[in-house]
Amino acid sequence: MYQSTPLSPREKIIVIGAIATLLSGLAWVSYDLGSLTIPHNDSWAHSRIAESLAENHVIQLVGFNRSSLIGMIILAAIFGGTPLAGSFVSLICAFASLYWVYMMTRRYASRFWSTIAVSLLACYPGFFLLSTSFMSDIPMLAGILGCLYFALKYLDNPTYLYLLASLFIGFWGITVREQAVAAVAAVVVVLVTTPVTRKQGIWYALISLAFIVSFEFWRRSLALDDPPQVDIGVGYGIKSGLMFIILLACFMSPLIAANLIHKKYSFKVYALMAVLSMPFIFLLLRMQEGVLLGNYIATHGAYAGDILGNRPGVPALSLLFFATCGALCAGPLLILMFENLGKKFRLLILFSCFYIAGTIVQSVSGQGIFDRYMIPVVACLVPVLASNLGSGLKFSKLISVIFIAGTFSISSLIFLEASASDGSVWKTAERFVAQGYNPKEIDAGWNWVGLHSDQAVGSRVPPENALGSFQHFSDSRQCLVLGFEGANLPEHVATYKTFGYFGPERNIFAKNIEPCV
């Protein structure tokens, strides 16, 4: 068992420097590829709201803002409200998240295993891309981790400043995305059930309840608040829950394997692990690589479908390998979570359970869930699984390093491909604007059309055989449509390398629509 020792100033400087170097490198590459200054996936909506707040000092929602979002939008508005400002907010939150995960893990684990733990989070496929775009995932992650980190500090050293920091950052996380309430709820349970902090826990709970109710009442009173549409689907919820656990176990498999090698369990426990893994293995056999929740980890590229045509993604064989690791490790993961529930990791385990349960309820209610929703649970379970690993285990260390090298490669390719393709399409569309096209008459994908519209998301009946995203906005017309290979567009207008600096050349095509629709 590792004996915790205080971090030296030198170690803290090295950790801060390493994280800053990684994120600075990502920011530079993203900027160089023309990706840092544009929206990605759903972030066009976040950018428009932030821009409106920065320019008009009014929160004007756009009908595509189901999460609360307000906390991160206020920060982006302070820096100007542009997509670049939003990317800067995500980078700052990524820095804080990685630092807090290292610090939480270092309480219980050696430098090596703490580095492995934070690397598993940093190299989670999609983390690089999310850290350089104004999506809500990384800001919410920072809100969750800050809340839990300072709560742990308070439990070690009951200083009210730590408790206030936990409360404030947790509240901010909720104003980014409501799922962060799982962190606040976990803190409340731990404080209330610990005799020496029960009084503080009651106050924490009452203040939290008052804030959450007040904030949600205000937030849902705003025009175009985009409330969830409930469509109960128990079967979908169960399947999504199993897929969620497979994905979680997959990207924590090195730590799970190291725990199994390090600890000696009875035959009954090993048998229970095998039995618990059976539903996940059965689902894997049915769905194969499709068992991994998609969106960023996908064979057709990150957030495929935002623009016409085909893009390369993660090879199916790689996804199948990861899915197999996840299905085999799912049962052991559940056992490891259960055996740590009553120990010093109760706060992190409770949060993980609350968050997973909330996500399953979300899927049962008919809301889609994606691979990026897993990131907060990975961040909170890596300290737990790294805690029992000592200085030996050379084989486990080697396997962990190899696995992280693999996830680093995949995350880098996802990041580079999306940055290169999004940036190239955006530059091509801007070139047509310079030639005299109205931005609202160009369909260069969901992000371009959404950002350049002045209207909220609506529905209009598109003309027969219409292509693209323009039909979601009443003030958008389609005079020119851009897309990739496979979109059946006749005119070749641009070429770029698949991964920005290397890889096969890929083409961008266009079609003039006459008359405009």
Side-chain angles (χ1 to χ4, degrees), residues 78-303:
I78 291 172
F79 295 110
T82 62
L84 178 61
S87 298
F88 179 73
V89 168
S90 291
L91 284 164
I92 294 298
C93 290
F95 178 90
S97 299
L98 293 173
Y99 179 76
W100 282 330
V101 166
Y102 184 88
M103 295 299 288
M104 285 195 293
T105 310
R106 194 67 175 85
R107 292 160 56 91
Y108 315 111
S110 65
R111 292 188 186 94
F112 177 83
W113 288 112
S114 298
T115 303
I116 290 295
V118 77
S119 298
L120 284 171
L121 173 63
C123 297
Y124 184 94
F127 190 92
F128 292 171
L129 184 54
L130 289 166
S131 297
T132 54
S133 56
F134 194 36
M135 294 289 285
S136 62
D137 302 270
I138 302 300
M140 180 190 69
L141 175 67
I144 287 170
L145 292 176
C147 176
L148 298 174
Y149 172 74
F150 284 105
L152 287 171
K153 296 275 284 185
Y154 176 77
L155 292 170
D156 285 344
N157 179 16
T159 300
Y160 281 105
L161 186 61
Y162 291 145
L163 197 61
L164 289 173
S166 171
L167 197 66
F168 177 79
I169 298 174
F171 286 178
W172 181 80
I174 292 171
T175 68
V176 173
R177 217 158 77 196
E178 287 86 347
Q179 288 94 326
V181 74
V184 174
V187 174
V188 166
V189 171
V190 170
L191 291 178
V192 170
T193 56
T194 303
V196 295
T197 60
R198 183 165 295 143
K199 181 179 178 181
Q200 292 85 347
I202 293 172
W203 279 109
Y204 196 107
L206 292 174
I207 294 170
S208 299
L209 182 62
F211 172 81
I212 293 167
V213 170
S214 301
F215 174 77
E216 279 299 302
F217 180 79
W218 169 78
R219 167 68 176 79
R220 296 304 167 186
S221 70
L222 298 176
L224 300 169
D225 70 311
D226 189 23
Q229 304 297 315
V230 177
D231 182 16
I232 302 297
V234 176
Y236 172 75
I238 294 173
K239 184 175 77 171
S240 298
L242 293 174
M243 294 167 70
F244 199 80
I245 299 296
I246 289 175
L247 191 65
L248 174 62
C250 159
F251 291 104
M252 300 190 69
S253 55
L255 291 179
I256 296 172
N259 272 268
L260 294 179
I261 293 170
H262 180 70
K263 296 181 179 181
K264 301 300 180 185
Y265 292 99
S266 67
F267 174 78
K268 290 182 179 180
V269 175
Y270 286 122
L272 180 59
M273 290 179 181
V275 170
L276 289 174
S277 292
M278 288 302 173
F280 304 99
I281 294 172
F282 176 73
L283 192 63
L284 169 67
L285 293 174
R286 285 193 60 190
M287 301 182 65
Q288 299 184 28
E289 70 272 8
V291 78
L292 297 178
L293 293 167
N295 197 211
Y296 281 62
I297 308 170
T299 55
H300 301 296
Y303 42 85

Side-chain angles (χ1 to χ4, degrees), residues 179 231-246 248 280 293 334 352-370 373-374 377:
Q179 288 94 326
D231 182 16
I232 302 297
V234 176
Y236 172 75
I238 294 173
K239 184 175 77 171
S240 298
L242 293 174
M243 294 167 70
F244 199 80
I245 299 296
I246 289 175
L248 174 62
F280 304 99
L293 293 167
L334 295 176
S352 300
C353 292
F354 290 163
Y355 186 92
I356 292 171
T359 303
I360 293 173
V361 170
Q362 179 182 345
S363 65
V364 169
S365 69
Q367 312 302 308
I369 59 173
F370 304 107
Y373 292 5
M374 180 61 62
V377 189

